[in-house]
Amino acid sequence: MTKENFKQAIVEAHQRLENLSQLASLAADKSIEQDYPIELLQQAITEISISLEELQQQNEELIATRYLVEEERQRYYDLFNFAPDGYLVTDGTGIIQEANYAAAKLLNMRQSYLIGKPMAVFVHQTERQKFRQIMLQLQQQGQIRREELQIFHNQGSIDFPAELTAIAVEDSQGKTGNLRWLFRDISDRHQQEQKIREQAALLDITTDAIIVEDLHNQILFWNQGAEKMYGWQVQEAQGKDAWELLSKKTSPQLSAAQKAVIERGTWQGELHKFTKDSGERIIASRWTLMLDVVGLPKSILIIDTDITEKKQLETQLLRSQRLESLGILASGIAHDLNNLLTPILGIAQLLPLKYPHLDDVSLQMLKILETNAKRGGDLVGQILLFTRGSEREHTIVLVSQLLEDIKQIAQQTFPKFIDINTDIAPNIGIVVGDSTELHQVLMNLAVNARDAMPNGGKLSISATKVFIDENYARMHIGATVNSYVKITVADTGVGINSEIIDLIFDPFFTTKDVGKGTGLGLSILMGIINSHGGFVEVASQVGIGTKFQVYLPSKEGSTSQVIDEVKLPIGQGELILVVDDEVAIAQITKATLETYNYKVLTAQNGIEALALYTQHKDKIRLVLIDMMMPLMGGETAIRTLQIINPQVPIVAMSGLATAEALVQSTDIGIQGFLAKPFTTDQLLNFVQKIFR
């Protein structure tokens, strides 16, 4: 029975009683007949019986309703007490009025102890100000969601992070009556989040590129190692097709790798991938198939390691081994070849003397025979240069005199449309070696430069002293920590294609037409330089030109003496901005400069450089900037820096010979050019020169 029905029944009972009262009044009237009161009494009894029955029914319904209310109330208290989260009810000032079993367990207190206690005593002392702000916000806004507080109590020895949700309940007058708090221990969540952060940090610390792709090659995850290795930021890479981004075109090897990893679960091998600036890298790639909760293929985890430099060193080592093997072979057969050629040459020269009346045709044939026998002998002599150890005695060689001889020969014999320039550092000093062999090396390079400029150009020959430090020596087979004379032969000719530049030192490899070259020139050059304890570097670009750099150990002092004698300049705390997209180079340069009392800021591209320079332009004394960078190239960044500050000192850096030519040709008004790779003394002396 509803409340309204119960009220209506009481009204009807009162109405019946009122009717009976009226009838009783009529009975008292003397004008009514004598037998009327009996009928009236019977009617009253009937009405009273009906009313009593209705009241009894209503009473039974009320008892049943009370039982239902009690059951509902018990269910509420059961839910309240055994809820998995702590539940508190406080008044508007934060005094606890009710607390469930979970709250008592979390706070390590009896439920009865909690009643009447301020909730603030269970908040860590360092966060009570935050709790007061939460209380104020709750009273003003009516609710809070997922606020975090540190719960703490000395007596209960509790200390854990809690997540709070609360609402304010209004009383009948519309004012805040009580506050209801739901809180839970989120220690496990914090531990999991910390574990995830640690794992994410490990993923970003590693220098390997870690990539996750779906089965359609779409990139799902891209760590910082991938950013550094390939140049694309995470926002640029995620969601892109990995094959289109890194491989430029679909290759059979990629398709085979994907098929293998789906069938077998793993795959590993070498791939050629491209960076953002179109640089090609050799990658050792390891693929692992990732499964979903039901064991179906979901994605592919890829770990890439850049092995480009390792492969280059292996190529250099293999080239050295091939040259060594050829030298061993040459030493074994040269004697027999010379024994075969000697009588042929002797007979070709003897027959015209023995038979003076031979006809012209016969004499011409003998001349051809003599010429080719001599050429064969020369060829054997060249091959012998590959033999370990030179049979010729090494003597002191004046580098300046050697280069002057090469210059004179070139000026006298090369076409006039080739401009020949030399730049020999003062006091270049001496090397120990065979002057004839070194002469052959430089003439070979000069002739190759001439042949690369059929329509004219510029031939530059220069020499300077350099000191090779430990970092540089580790990256170059044949280099040691020592003082070297660096001889550079550069041309502005047709250049060498990047696909074959690694083959130019191989024996019998040549790009010249048949009959115009044996393919032994650069191989012999490599053998001679190795026998002198030196090494060779080459840089080239098609249509721009080629630069060969020959390093020969300088005569002055032993390695230890050279290191002791080198006194590198110390800075005065000047601030230098180093801009280079190669993180390793930027870090090594920064560490070197800071070791010698400079302050350094680093940027990985032109945009970062401009932002840093704008922020610190009053303090930056020098900008060292690479010419070839992603996002914004060196030339654009330099011109922008000069707009910001026309007086800013700038030094360009590059590992390409063409970059120096670009700097010289564009006349962008900088203070110098520093060729990579540079040694410590080259860097410090160059910087000190700028600050003088």
Side-chain angles (χ1 to χ4, degrees):
M1 172 178 286
T2 64
K3 183 177 180 180
E4 289 73 14
N5 291 339
F6 183 69
K7 288 181 178 179
Q8 182 65 31
I10 291 175
V11 170
E12 291 177 355
H14 277 289
Q15 185 65 43
R16 291 192 187 96
L17 290 174
E18 186 177 351
N19 292 338
L20 286 174
S21 177
Q22 291 177 355
L23 289 174
S25 298
L26 292 174
D29 194 341
K30 295 179 179 181
S31 62
I32 300 178
E33 297 179 359
Q34 197 66 28
D35 59 349
Y36 184 77
I38 297 174
E39 294 178 357
L40 181 62
L41 183 61
Q42 289 177 344
Q43 184 179 357
I45 292 171
T46 301
E47 289 292 335
I48 291 171
S49 298
I50 293 172
S51 297
L52 288 174
E53 288 178 1
E54 288 180 349
L55 289 173
Q56 179 67 26
Q57 182 179 358
Q58 292 165 7
N59 185 52
E60 290 175 354
E61 290 180 356
L62 284 173
I63 292 172
T65 301
R66 187 180 66 184
Y67 285 150
L68 289 174
V69 170
E70 288 295 330
E71 288 177 359
E72 289 296 327
R73 183 178 180 184
Q74 187 62 43
R75 278 197 295 270
Y76 163 76
Y77 275 109
D78 288 343
L79 290 173
F80 176 75
N81 273 317
F82 297 105
D85 295 326
Y87 189 84
L88 297 174
V89 177
T90 71
D91 63 14
T93 64
I95 303 300
I96 298 175
Q97 297 175 339
E98 295 182 59
N100 72 342
Y101 176 76
K105 186 176 180 181
L106 285 171
L107 298 175
N108 199 21
M109 298 289 173
R110 295 190 305 273
Q111 285 176 273
S112 59
Y113 174 85
L114 294 175
I115 307 303
K117 300 293 187 299
M119 185 176 172
V121 301
F122 299 102
V123 177
H124 198 281
Q125 193 170 11
T126 59
E127 295 200 324
R128 286 182 182 172
Q129 178 61 32
K130 181 178 179 180
F131 176 70
R132 286 191 287 271
Q133 292 175 351
I134 290 174
M135 287 279 293
L136 181 62
Q137 179 183 350
L138 188 57
Q139 292 171 352
Q140 291 176 346
Q141 300 180 5
Q143 64 177 359
I144 59 148
R145 291 184 179 274
R146 297 187 176 183
E147 289 284 353
E148 286 192 18
L149 277 178
Q150 192 72 18
I151 301 300
F152 178 81
H153 198 267
N154 285 331
Q155 295 180 5
S157 300
I158 57 169
D159 188 1
F160 63 87
E163 182 183 80
L164 298 179
T165 299
I167 60 171
V169 179
E170 294 181 350
D171 58 18
S172 59
Q173 298 178 354
K175 298 181 180 180
T176 300
N178 56 44
L179 309 176
R180 298 180 182 180
W181 305 81
L182 187 70
F183 69 102
R184 64 186 60 172
D185 184 348
I186 56 174
S187 300
D188 289 343
R189 183 200 300 175
H190 278 200
Q191 292 173 0
Q192 291 295 328
E193 290 174 351
Q194 178 62 25
K195 185 176 180 181
I196 291 172
R197 284 193 293 269
E198 291 173 355
Q199 292 173 343
L202 289 175
L203 291 179
D204 285 333
I205 288 172
T206 179
T207 56
D208 289 340
I210 300 177
I211 305 167
V212 178
E213 303 174 5
D214 65 17
L215 301 182
H216 301 289
N217 312 318
Q218 187 177 22
I219 296 173
L220 306 176
F221 177 79
W222 183 269
N223 78 329
Q224 288 185 12
E227 290 184 358
K228 296 173 183 176
M229 185 177 296
Y230 295 117
W232 282 281
Q233 300 297 311
V234 61
Q235 60 270 21
E236 297 176 299
Q238 277 188 342
K240 299 294 178 60
D241 188 304
W243 291 9
E244 293 180 359
L245 192 71
L246 300 174
S247 301
K248 306 300 183 186
K249 59 182 179 180
T250 303
S251 71
Q253 191 177 12
L254 283 173
S255 301
Q258 188 178 61
K259 181 180 179 183
V261 76
I262 292 175
E263 292 177 352
R264 300 195 296 268
T266 60
W267 176 88
Q268 62 180 9
E270 291 184 9
L271 297 171
H272 286 257
K273 295 187 177 182
F274 292 87
T275 61
K276 186 176 182 179
D277 59 0
S278 299
E280 186 174 3
R281 311 300 292 175
I282 303 174
I283 303 298
S285 194
R286 301 174 296 285
W287 296 20
T288 302
L289 186 66
M290 309 298 290
L291 306 177
D292 60 16
V293 292
V294 296
L296 295 176
K298 177 180 66 173
S299 58
I300 300 172
L301 170 66
I302 299 175
I303 301 177
D304 285 350
T305 304
D306 189 345
I307 58 172
T308 306
E309 291 186 2
K310 177 184 175 184
K311 283 293 184 180
Q312 290 172 346
L313 291 174
E314 288 176 354
T315 301
Q316 293 179 30
L317 180 60
L318 182 61
R319 181 186 298 136
S320 299
Q321 291 172 341
R322 285 200 299 264
L323 293 174
E324 183 179 346
S325 299
L326 184 58
I328 295 172
L329 175 64
S331 64
I333 66 174
H335 182 266
D336 292 337
L337 285 173
N338 279 330
N339 284 342
L340 292 173
L341 291 171
T342 298
I344 295 173
L345 180 59
I347 292 172
Q349 293 173 335
L350 180 61
L351 283 177
L353 299 175
K354 195 170 184 64
Y355 301 100
H357 302 294
L358 289 174
D359 58 81
D360 292 340
V361 175
S362 299
L363 290 173
Q364 186 178 1
M365 293 176 66
L366 288 172
K367 189 63 177 177
I368 293 172
L369 187 63
E370 178 186 355
T371 301
N372 283 276
K374 287 180 178 179
R375 186 178 178 188
D378 292 338
L379 187 59
V380 172
Q382 290 181 334
I383 295 175
L384 280 173
L385 292 173
F386 290 109
T387 307
R388 281 190 175 182
S390 176
E391 296 179 358
R392 301 186 183 187
E393 183 180 356
H394 284 193
T395 60
I396 292 176
V397 179
L398 294 172
V399 177
S400 58
Q401 185 61 51
L402 179 64
L403 295 180
E404 282 296 330
D405 292 344
I406 299 298
K407 177 184 177 182
Q408 289 181 9
I409 294 172
Q411 287 177 337
Q412 293 171 4
T413 60
F414 285 9
K416 299 302 180 182
F417 51 69
I418 294 179
D419 184 19
I420 302 171
N421 294 317
T422 58
D423 182 12
I424 303 170
N427 302 320
I428 189 63
I430 59 176
V431 297
V432 175
D434 185 282
S435 60
T436 302
E437 290 179 350
L438 295 177
H439 189 279
Q440 180 182 356
V441 165
L442 298 178
M443 277 307 304
N444 183 282
L445 293 177
V447 169
N448 284 349
R450 177 202 66 188
D451 294 343
M453 299 183 289
N455 299 317
K458 181 179 179 180
L459 170 62
S460 301
I461 302 173
S462 62
T464 185
K465 270 188 180 180
V466 296
F467 179 76
I468 299 298
D469 58 17
E470 187 176 355
N471 288 336
Y472 191 101
R474 280 202 304 264
M475 296 185 291
H476 295 79
I477 290 179
T480 59
V481 179
N482 207 343
S483 181
Y484 284 81
V485 172
K486 181 178 72 172
I487 302 173
T488 303
V489 179
D491 65 66
T492 57
V494 295
I496 304 171
N497 193 302
S498 59
E499 296 178 357
I500 65 171
I501 196 168
D502 290 333
L503 304 175
I504 62 175
F505 292 105
D506 289 353
F508 306 109
F509 178 83
T510 181
T511 59
K512 296 181 180 180
D513 295 336
V514 176
K516 292 186 178 180
T518 62
L520 287 173
L522 292 178
S523 300
I524 293 171
L525 178 150
M526 183 68 75
I528 292 174
I529 298 305
N530 288 341
S531 70
H532 282 72
F535 60 98
V536 182
E537 290 182 341
V538 59
S540 185
Q541 187 171 347
V542 174
I544 301 296
T546 303
K547 176 193 288 185
F548 282 90
Q549 292 177 323
V550 177
Y551 292 80
L552 296 170
S554 180
K555 170 62 179 172
E556 290 79 13
S558 65
T559 300
S560 60
Q561 291 171 333
V562 170
I563 294 173
D564 291 339
E565 292 169 2
V566 171
K567 295 182 180 179
L568 299 175
I570 303 296
Q572 302 297 322
E574 296 93 341
L575 181 60
I576 299 174
L577 174 59
V578 177
V579 189
D580 201 306
D581 61 310
E582 291 291 337
V583 177
I585 293 176
Q587 290 177 345
I588 291 172
T589 305
K590 181 177 186 291
T592 301
L593 291 170
E594 288 179 343
T595 301
Y596 289 88
N597 200 32
Y598 293 100
K599 296 178 181 178
V600 181
L601 297 173
T602 60
Q604 294 186 15
N605 54 62
I607 295 175
E608 288 185 13
L610 295 177
L612 280 173
Y613 185 80
T614 302
Q615 186 178 356
H616 304 280
K617 63 181 179 181
D618 294 330
K619 299 178 181 179
I620 292 174
R621 294 283 307 281
L622 174 65
V623 178
L624 294 174
I625 185 167
D626 187 49
M627 293 298 291
M628 309 295 290
M629 294 184 297
L631 299 182
M632 179 184 288
E635 184 182 356
T636 303
I638 288 171
R639 294 192 185 280
T640 308
L641 285 170
Q642 290 172 335
I643 293 173
I644 298 173
N645 180 9
Q647 306 302 321
V648 57
I650 299 175
V651 172
M653 304 183 296
S654 181
L656 296 176
T658 54
E660 183 175 6
L662 176 64
V663 169
Q664 293 174 351
S665 63
T666 53
D667 190 26
I668 56 179
I670 62 175
Q671 277 60 48
F673 180 88
L674 186 59
K676 296 182 190 175
F678 43 79
T679 62
T680 300
D681 62 338
Q682 285 177 318
L683 172 63
L684 294 174
N685 285 318
F686 207 107
V687 170
Q688 189 64 27
K689 181 181 177 182
I690 299 297
F691 287 152
R692 284 176 186 170

